[in-house]
Amino acid sequence: MKFSTDEVPNGKFYARIKTPKSVMLVPFTMLLLMLPLSLMRNSHESSSPVLSSVSNLNITETEKRCDIFSGKWIPHPEGPYYNNETCNLIIDQQNCIKFGRPDRDYLYWRWKPEECELPLFDANQFLNLVSGKKIAFVGDSVGRNQMRSLLCLLNHVSQPEDISHRYSSDVAYFKRYFYADYNFTLGNLWSPYFVRANDADQNGHSYNSIMKLHLDEVDEAWASQVESFDIVIISAGHWFFRPVLYYENNQLVGCNKCGMENVTDFGHYYGYKKAFRTAFRTLINLKNYKGDTFFRTFSPSHFENGDWNKGGNCARTRPFTKEEVKLDGYVLETYLTQVNEFKEAEKEARMRGLKFLMLNTTEIMLMRPDGHPNGYGHSMDKNVTLNDCVHWCLPGPVDTWNEFFLYMMNIETQTSTGSKVERVF
C-alpha cells in the first residue's frame, strides 16, 4: 500500500531562545517535507572551496576519551567540501544555492569540540574503511538528507552507480548506490515510523488523516533487508508529531492528536518510545544481523513566527551560541525518550556481541537555525517551494554528522572492543 502527499514541515522552533527578539512558539504536528508518503513495504573538484583532507588519521588515547559532541561552532573561512556544481547528487529539496539562497555565511562554520580536534572528512580514508561493506540509513527523510551529504563528500574521489532498481520498485525511497572501485554499497531504507503503519482513513491519505501504528510490529520494508548490511545508521523523529492511532497486540490502546472520544491521547512520546524499542530489539534479535548500529539523535526544526503554513520560517543567517539557546521543552523530552531506549538496547546488544553507538547531534544542530533550506528548496515532484525548517541545506551543517561518523568508525577500527567509543553522554 502506498500513500501520496507532501512531506510538509509543520512545527515550531521549540527550544528556548535567549535573545531580545521574541520568538513565537507554535504547535508542532506533522513535520515532513515535500515527498510522497510511502510507508509500506509492498566530477570532480573544480571551482568550489574544498577543504584539504586529513590522511592517515591516527586517533590518540586522549582523543578516544574526548567528547566530540561537546563544543561550539566556530568560523571556518575555508568553506565547504563541495557545492552544487561539484556534486550532482544534491536533490532539489536541499539545493539551497541552486534555488537562489542569497547569503553564504551558513557555509563557513565548523564544529569545534572543547577537548580535541574533529578531523576533516577524508573521502579516501572513508572509502578504504568501508571497502567491501554495505551501509544503510534507516528512517525518514532527515536520515536520507545525511546519506545525500555522504554521497557528496565522497563524490570527488569516486562516483557511484545507482543500482536501486535491482532491489526495489520504489526507487525514490529505497535507494542503493554502488562504488565499484571499493565494492561498497550505500543505501537508504525508508521507514519513518520503524513499525508497521497504515492509513486509518479509507478515503485515502491527506494532511489531516490519521495513521495506524502497530507499535509492537516492525516494518518489514526495512527489517527484511537490513541483515545484509554491515553498518546501519538509524534515526527518526518528526513523523511522530502527526495524528496517529497506537495499536499493540492488534488492539487500539491510545493515540496522539487523534481527537477521538474514548481514546486516550498519550502524546507523541509514547509512540516514539515504543517504536524505537521495537526497532532496536529487531536489530538485536535478527538472526543474521551482525552489523554495527549507529543511532543518530533527534534533529530539531527551527520554525519561528508561525506554523509552516502560517508564515513560519527560519531566516536566520548565523548559528546560535550556547548562551542564546537552551535545550529544553519537548525537544529535550523527545531526545531523552529515544536516548533512554538506546541505553537499554545498547546494554543488551553488548551482551550479544553487537555494537550500538550514538551520534549525539541534537544540541549541536539546535544551534544551527541558519542551516535549513527555508524557502530555497523545491519538491522533487512539484515545482513548488515551502519554508522547510526541518531538513538541511547541502552543503551545510549536516555534513558535520558524517565527520562524526568517520571519526567514530576510526575509533572502532583502532580499538579491539567498542568500550572506549563514545556512546551515551
Side-chain angles (χ1 to χ4, degrees):
M1 185 178 297
K2 185 172 182 177
F3 307 96
S4 180
T5 184
D6 280 355
E7 291 181 71
V8 181
N10 183 4
K12 69 174 187 176
F13 176 40
Y14 39 70
R16 185 168 70 236
I17 304 173
K18 300 179 181 177
T19 57
K21 180 180 178 180
S22 63
V23 177
M24 180 179 178
L25 300 182
V26 293
F28 189 109
T29 57
M30 54 179 182
L31 210 160
L32 320 168
L33 178 68
M34 296 180 184
L35 298 176
L37 174 58
S38 175
L39 298 177
M40 302 304 106
R41 174 182 357 178
N42 313 3
S43 106
H44 295 72
E45 299 170 297
S46 63
S47 59
S48 69
V50 179
L51 292 169
S52 59
S53 295
V54 176
S55 60
N56 300 318
L57 174 65
N58 290 312
I59 298 173
T60 66
E61 287 297 319
T62 299
E63 287 173 318
K64 289 174 186 175
R65 295 189 296 271
C66 172
D67 180 358
I68 57 172
F69 304 115
S70 178
K72 61 183 178 181
W73 292 97
I74 63 172
H76 189 68
E78 287 83 351
Y81 294 91
Y82 60 90
N83 64 26
N84 62 318
E85 294 180 355
T86 60
C87 181
N88 62 359
L89 295 167
I90 305 173
I91 61 174
D92 287 352
Q93 188 179 357
Q94 290 125 28
N95 204 333
C96 304
I97 296 175
K98 175 182 176 180
F99 290 104
R101 178 166 176 169
D103 65 294
R104 295 288 187 273
D105 287 351
Y106 72 99
L107 298 171
Y108 295 91
W109 296 89
R110 191 160 188 271
W111 182 251
K112 172 64 176 70
E114 293 173 352
E115 301 173 348
C116 60
E117 296 296 327
L118 178 64
L120 298 173
F121 188 89
D122 185 331
N124 285 293
Q125 185 188 55
F126 183 95
L127 288 167
N128 286 325
L129 280 173
V130 299
S131 179
K133 298 183 183 296
K134 295 179 180 179
I135 294 178
F137 287 86
V138 175
D140 60 18
S141 54
V142 180
R144 187 171 58 211
N145 199 170
Q146 183 181 359
M147 182 194 72
R148 289 284 171 183
S149 162
L150 184 55
L151 286 168
C152 285
L153 289 168
L154 300 175
N155 193 57
H156 71 281
V157 171
S158 182
Q159 290 78 44
E161 176 188 0
D162 187 340
I163 59 171
S164 307
H165 63 281
R166 301 181 190 175
Y167 297 90
S168 175
S169 60
D170 190 358
V171 295
Y173 288 90
F174 292 84
K175 304 293 295 184
R176 297 207 193 198
Y177 294 91
F178 182 62
Y179 292 80
D181 292 343
Y182 297 88
N183 189 28
F184 163 55
T185 300
L186 181 61
N188 172 233
L189 303 179
W190 172 256
S191 186
Y193 292 115
F194 300 141
V195 297
R196 183 164 73 89
N198 58 282
D199 204 320
D201 188 348
Q202 295 182 352
N203 295 322
H205 190 77
S206 70
Y207 290 142
N208 297 317
S209 63
I210 298 177
M211 300 297 296
K212 294 180 180 179
L213 300 189
H214 296 263
L215 297 174
D216 52 355
E217 298 181 38
V218 72
D219 178 9
E220 290 294 334
W222 70 271
S224 64
Q225 300 185 48
V226 76
E227 287 178 296
S228 66
F229 288 89
D230 303 285
I231 297 173
V232 168
I233 301 97
I234 189 168
S235 61
H238 298 298
W239 289 74
F240 288 87
F241 291 94
R242 69 187 308 278
V244 291
L245 299 174
Y246 297 138
Y247 283 77
E248 296 179 75
N249 296 318
N250 288 317
Q251 298 295 317
L252 178 64
V253 297
C255 74
N256 178 56
K257 298 178 181 176
C258 64
M260 296 181 177
E261 293 184 5
N262 302 319
V263 179
T264 303
D265 192 329
F266 289 155
H268 78 277
Y269 305 119
Y270 183 87
Y272 203 47
K273 174 180 66 177
K274 292 296 185 74
F276 266 102
R277 184 175 299 176
T278 295
F280 288 144
R281 285 180 176 175
T282 297
L283 289 167
I284 292 170
N285 293 322
L286 281 172
K287 180 179 178 181
N288 296 317
Y289 179 66
K290 307 300 181 184
D292 292 349
T293 300
F294 286 78
F295 154 61
R296 181 188 52 74
T297 63
F298 181 61
S299 174
S301 67
H302 292 88
F303 285 95
E304 299 183 53
N305 307 314
D307 285 339
W308 65 274
N309 59 348
K310 296 180 180 179
N313 59 36
C314 42
R316 295 178 184 261
T317 59
R318 292 175 62 87
F320 286 127
T321 65
K322 286 186 176 180
E323 290 70 38
E324 293 175 309
V325 68
K326 182 176 177 59
L327 178 60
D328 66 1
Y330 56 91
V331 66
L332 175 60
E333 289 302 315
T334 300
Y335 165 78
L336 292 176
T337 296
Q338 59 178 183
V339 169
N340 288 336
E341 288 301 315
F342 171 81
K343 288 181 180 180
E344 294 303 313
E346 194 275 335
K347 294 175 185 176
E348 186 175 353
R350 198 185 323 156
M351 290 188 293
R352 300 195 179 197
L354 297 173
K355 294 177 182 177
F356 273 38
L357 314 169
M358 186 168 80
L359 291 164
N360 192 11
T361 58
T362 300
E363 187 172 17
I364 290 167
M365 302 310 286
L366 189 62
M367 290 186 272
R368 292 308 305 268
D370 57 323
H372 300 288
N374 200 15
Y376 301 103
H378 277 233
S379 169
M380 73 175 185
D381 60 347
K382 298 177 183 178
N383 187 26
V384 296
T385 62
L386 291 171
N387 287 345
D388 180 2
C389 302
V390 176
H391 301 86
W392 304 93
C393 292
L394 292 178
V398 67
D399 295 322
T400 303
W401 298 356
N402 289 314
E403 292 177 331
F404 292 145
F405 182 34
L406 175 56
Y407 180 96
M408 294 176 71
M409 283 202 301
N410 268 292
I411 294 179
E412 282 298 294
T413 300
Q414 296 181 29
T415 55
S416 58
T417 69
S419 59
K420 294 183 181 179
V421 177
E422 296 162 56
R423 285 184 161 83
V424 179
F425 302 98

